[in-house]
Amino acid sequence: MTMASGFGKLSGNRETDMKKGLAVIGVVSLLLVIMVVAIVYSVDANSHEMPRSERPRTKGNNSTDEINNSMKAITAICQPTDYKEACIGSLQSVASENTTDPKELIKLAFNITHDYMKKALEQSRVLKEAEKDPRTSQALENCGELMDYSLDDLENSLKKFGEFDLSRLDDLIHDIKVWLSGSITYQETCLDGFDGAKGDAAKKMKEVIKGSSELTSNVLAIMDGIYSVLQSLELPFFHRRLLHNMDMEDDYPSWVSGARRRLLHTGSAGIVADAVVAQDGSGQFTSIKDAIATIPHKSNKTFVIYIKEGVYKESVTIDKSMWNVMMIGDGPTKTKITGNKNFKDGITTFKTATVAAVGEGFIAKNIGFENTAGPEKHQAVALRVQSDRAIFYNCQMDGYQDTLYAHTHRQFYRDCTISGTIDFIFGDAAVIFQNCKIVVRKPMDNQQNIVTAQGRKDRREPTAIIIQNCTITAEPTYHPLRNKLPTFLGRPWKEYSRTFFFQSQIDDLIQPAGWLPWNGDFALNTCFYSEFDNRGPGSSTKERVKWKCIKTMTSERANKFTVAQFLRGNSWINAAGVPFTPGLLP
């Protein structure tokens, strides 16, 4: 029976299982009702409801009673949103007069958003057919791809919403919020692609995406509202997994096997790979692209590609249908994938990546990723990562501006080296860098360096760039120029940019002010930046900028942004066999 799939394994007693399933459904329905009651109470308390004089008369009119109750339910569902008019209006247009079930209304909100996204996707195709300017045409083509990713994340969220499991409700809502955040980011990236483009295509795309992005934000707000209410109720099943921090050997994903974990602990001689790439002909393939072509689609089995020592001049994409791919090299300076695509040569930033990891569950070990375009070519990405639960272990990412695009979803980097100049760690992923070396290089003479540029567009997105127990240092050729060509920890790329430096060694290259504005006072009141328990000559916060968004962090608060809590990483990172610290260092 498919009905039982969301409630765990059948016990063998059909009647007992049915009762358990109905009990879970009942509790879930109760939780949703509690959510609505709580929100409705807030509406009444804050006088946001329709003025009494404007309400339809209900006495003796069942139909009007139903309409009024439906309107109350819609208003309650939309209360947490930032775009209430769009939320209420869109739900009113499709909900039947007697629809009051919160779960059904939330599903309708998902479906309405899905329809708007499809319109935006179609609009990008229509505009591209008529576009003459090459850069604008490329931006429109990228929009088609990005809106497709956005739709995938929305559809995954809706599917997950239908899989209520009380024992995992906290993780379920967290997954949904991560994917909705990805959906929002892809829409924003579509618009970013029109920087420098000619014509009015950007204006038209902004108009059509405005509706879908507002509705996506609303769905995220609704899910965050559920999360907040459940948190406030302090239900034991909702907090259990976070409070006990999970057994380190517990709860492995279904695709994990002991063999996969052993692969990350073995030397190259012990690797048993599905595909071997070697430039000298000693493997099955001489190019990475040819090996990738053999990856099965949407497989739950790990597919291992062993790339032998060599410099591979290729553009590589692990596309969205390629799940659980593991790439292993002979060392981050021995196995290197390199390219030189860049913005100045007419390519949008999104498409400059030498390697793009999109399919979920991607892992890389002992590999170098490089973009050699140089600082004069401006944006030039070495590695772009969209893969959910992606892991990079003992890897190296080298470039100048925009080296590492941590684009979306959950990502973890351990014992890696990342080098660059301007915004060289950027994006809107939920990402933690742990025990990494972050190397600042010499920029152009008229430039200054910025380590991070985080792109959180919506305040409810569960995303941030988190640098924990890393070393931020200068490349030897840059070190003598560090005062002439200054370096800063970060700047706010989007309105709710969020970046933390925890327990890290910060050398004397970082300016005393610490942080740099993006443009005037943009986002200086809404971003969230913090430094906690750092060390080294560049770690002093005495002369840091005094923006409203610069926050002092306690150890209790900082612990919420660690691997165990922020990434829910105790299961999927440990399952991959990668060493990590779940919390703060002692």
Side-chain angles (χ1 to χ4, degrees):
M1 290 176 64
T2 57
M3 181 178 176
S5 61
F7 308 130
K9 293 182 179 180
L10 292 172
S11 66
N13 185 318
R14 186 178 299 274
E15 183 178 356
T16 300
D17 288 324
M18 182 64 73
K19 287 179 178 178
K20 286 181 180 178
L22 290 173
V24 172
I25 292 172
V27 174
V28 170
S29 299
L30 176 62
L31 291 175
L32 287 168
V33 169
I34 290 170
M35 176 198 76
V36 173
V37 169
I39 296 172
V40 168
Y41 177 81
S42 174
V43 172
D44 288 337
N46 292 288
S47 301
H48 289 152
E49 197 177 357
M50 187 184 300
R52 187 173 301 276
S53 60
E54 297 178 19
R55 297 176 196 168
R57 296 185 180 182
T58 60
K59 186 177 180 179
N61 189 332
N62 290 335
S63 176
T64 306
D65 283 341
E66 289 175 349
I67 294 171
N68 196 45
N69 288 335
S70 179
M71 183 60 189
K72 278 188 175 182
I74 289 171
T75 302
I77 288 292
C78 293
Q79 179 59 24
T81 66
D82 291 336
Y83 306 99
K84 291 184 180 63
E85 186 176 340
C87 182
I88 293 171
S90 60
L91 284 174
Q92 274 188 298
S93 68
V94 296
S96 62
E97 293 180 353
N98 59 351
T99 303
T100 56
D101 182 352
K103 193 171 181 182
E104 289 306 310
L105 288 172
I106 293 171
K107 284 183 178 179
L108 283 176
F110 272 105
N111 290 330
I112 294 164
T113 307
H114 186 273
D115 290 344
Y116 268 78
M117 279 189 196
K118 290 185 75 172
K119 290 176 184 177
L121 175 60
E122 184 58 33
Q123 178 75 347
S124 69
R125 291 169 178 164
V126 170
L127 289 171
K128 184 180 181 300
E129 290 177 3
E131 186 55 52
K132 304 295 183 183
D133 176 62
R135 188 181 288 277
T136 305
S137 181
Q138 184 188 161
L140 289 165
E141 184 175 346
N142 292 347
C143 276
E145 180 180 346
L146 289 157
M147 293 308 296
D148 194 39
Y149 293 143
S150 190
L151 278 165
D152 285 345
D153 274 352
L154 186 73
E155 288 166 358
N156 286 337
S157 300
L158 177 56
K159 181 181 178 182
K160 196 77 171 180
F161 181 70
E163 298 175 358
F164 271 96
D165 179 346
L166 291 181
S167 68
R168 296 177 177 271
L169 194 54
D170 177 66
D171 288 338
L172 179 147
I173 296 176
H174 179 73
D175 283 347
I176 292 173
K177 290 176 65 178
V178 166
W179 297 333
L180 289 174
S181 171
S183 187
I184 289 169
T185 301
Y186 291 135
Q187 293 174 70
E188 185 69 10
T189 305
C190 163
L191 298 180
D192 288 341
F194 291 100
D195 289 347
K198 300 175 182 177
D200 63 351
K203 181 181 177 181
K204 290 180 179 178
M205 282 306 299
K206 282 180 181 177
E207 289 172 355
V208 74
I209 284 180
K210 182 177 184 291
S212 65
S213 62
E214 287 184 359
L215 290 172
T216 312
S217 172
N218 284 344
V219 176
L220 176 61
I222 290 167
M223 296 310 302
D224 190 62
I226 295 174
Y227 187 84
S228 298
V229 169
L230 290 174
Q231 274 193 320
S232 69
L233 294 174
E234 298 185 351
L235 300 170
F237 69 80
F238 188 68
H239 291 276
R240 177 182 59 82
R241 288 166 58 79
L242 279 184
L243 289 176
H244 88 293
N245 225 13
M246 296 197 308
D247 189 319
M248 297 292 284
E249 299 296 330
D250 181 31
D251 194 40
Y252 283 4
S254 60
W255 42 260
V256 170
S257 66
R260 188 185 205 210
R261 302 186 77 233
R262 287 193 297 273
L263 276 169
L264 291 177
H265 291 283
T266 187
S268 58
I271 294 174
V272 178
D274 297 285
V276 178
V277 183
Q279 290 180 329
D280 62 8
S282 61
Q284 299 155 278
F285 308 97
T286 57
S287 77
I288 301 169
K289 277 186 176 180
D290 289 342
I292 286 172
T294 66
I295 297 172
H297 287 194
K298 297 186 177 181
S299 173
N300 288 323
K301 180 181 180 295
T302 301
F303 189 92
V304 180
I305 303 174
Y306 171 36
I307 308 170
K308 291 188 176 183
E309 182 175 350
V311 178
Y312 297 83
K313 297 181 179 180
E314 302 186 47
S315 294
V316 174
T317 299
I318 307 298
D319 72 34
K320 68 176 186 177
S321 68
M322 299 174 181
W323 297 355
N324 304 313
V325 175
M326 180 185 291
M327 292 173 59
I328 302 177
D330 281 329
T333 61
K334 293 180 178 179
T335 297
K336 185 177 292 186
I337 310 171
T338 186
N340 62 2
K341 291 181 180 179
N342 62 85
F343 184 80
K344 193 169 183 180
D345 287 349
I347 302 172
T348 57
T349 304
F350 175 69
K351 284 297 185 181
T352 61
T354 301
V355 175
V358 182
E360 63 183 63
F362 179 81
I363 295 180
K365 177 190 175 185
N366 294 344
I367 297 177
F369 305 89
E370 182 181 55
N371 192 311
T372 61
E376 68 278 3
K377 293 290 188 175
H378 304 296
Q379 297 95 324
V381 177
L383 174 66
R384 187 184 85 238
V385 184
Q386 299 163 226
S387 173
D388 194 16
R389 297 186 177 94
I391 298 173
F392 293 83
Y393 179 35
N394 192 36
C395 290
Q396 186 157 327
M397 301 86 182
D398 292 320
Y400 289 87
Q401 183 171 348
D402 290 1
T403 303
L404 174 56
Y405 195 173
H407 195 185
T408 54
H409 303 139
R410 288 160 284 199
Q411 305 177 23
F412 180 67
Y413 297 74
R414 172 78 181 205
D415 300 339
C416 292
T417 297
I418 306 103
S419 72
T421 55
I422 298 172
D423 305 334
F424 64 96
I425 299 174
F426 76 112
D428 190 26
V431 56
I432 294 180
F433 297 86
Q434 198 173 84
N435 293 28
C436 292
K437 187 176 182 180
I438 297 171
V439 181
V440 179
R441 307 178 79 173
K442 180 181 178 296
M444 295 173 68
D445 289 341
N446 63 342
Q447 294 179 331
Q448 50 193 353
N449 293 321
I450 306 99
V451 176
T452 65
Q454 207 277 336
R456 188 166 168 253
K457 176 71 174 177
D458 190 294
R459 60 192 171 91
R460 298 179 181 87
E461 290 184 70
T463 60
I465 292 174
I466 299 165
I467 314 286
Q468 184 188 14
N469 197 33
C470 295
T471 297
I472 298 89
T473 192
E475 192 177 57
T477 55
Y478 166 65
H479 189 264
L481 303 169
R482 65 193 184 284
N483 293 320
K484 179 183 176 183
L485 305 173
T487 295
F488 299 85
L489 294 174
R491 58 177 178 166
W493 181 24
K494 302 292 181 181
E495 287 89 333
Y496 295 95
S497 178
R498 187 161 65 168
T499 303
F500 307 128
F501 285 79
F502 293 162
Q503 302 182 311
S504 292
Q505 168 70 30
I506 302 178
D507 288 350
D508 64 356
L509 72 160
I510 298 299
Q511 290 293 301
W515 306 88
L516 188 71
W518 183 271
N519 184 17
D521 62 357
F522 171 76
L524 300 189
N525 291 326
T526 52
C527 67
F528 186 180
Y529 291 159
S530 190
E531 301 169 61
F532 173 79
D533 196 23
N534 295 306
R535 57 194 180 273
S539 66
S540 174
T541 58
K542 290 180 180 178
E543 298 181 51
R544 291 294 194 248
V545 291
K546 306 301 181 184
W547 305 339
K548 183 179 178 181
C549 69
I550 304 292
K551 307 293 184 182
T552 300
M553 191 78 76
T554 63
S555 59
E556 183 180 7
R557 183 73 185 275
N559 204 52
K560 294 180 179 179
F561 296 97
T562 56
V563 169
Q565 295 202 36
F566 188 67
L567 293 182
R568 310 294 203 271
N570 279 2
S571 58
W572 59 275
I573 297 172
N574 186 55
V578 175
F580 71 99
T581 303
L584 295 172
L585 298 174

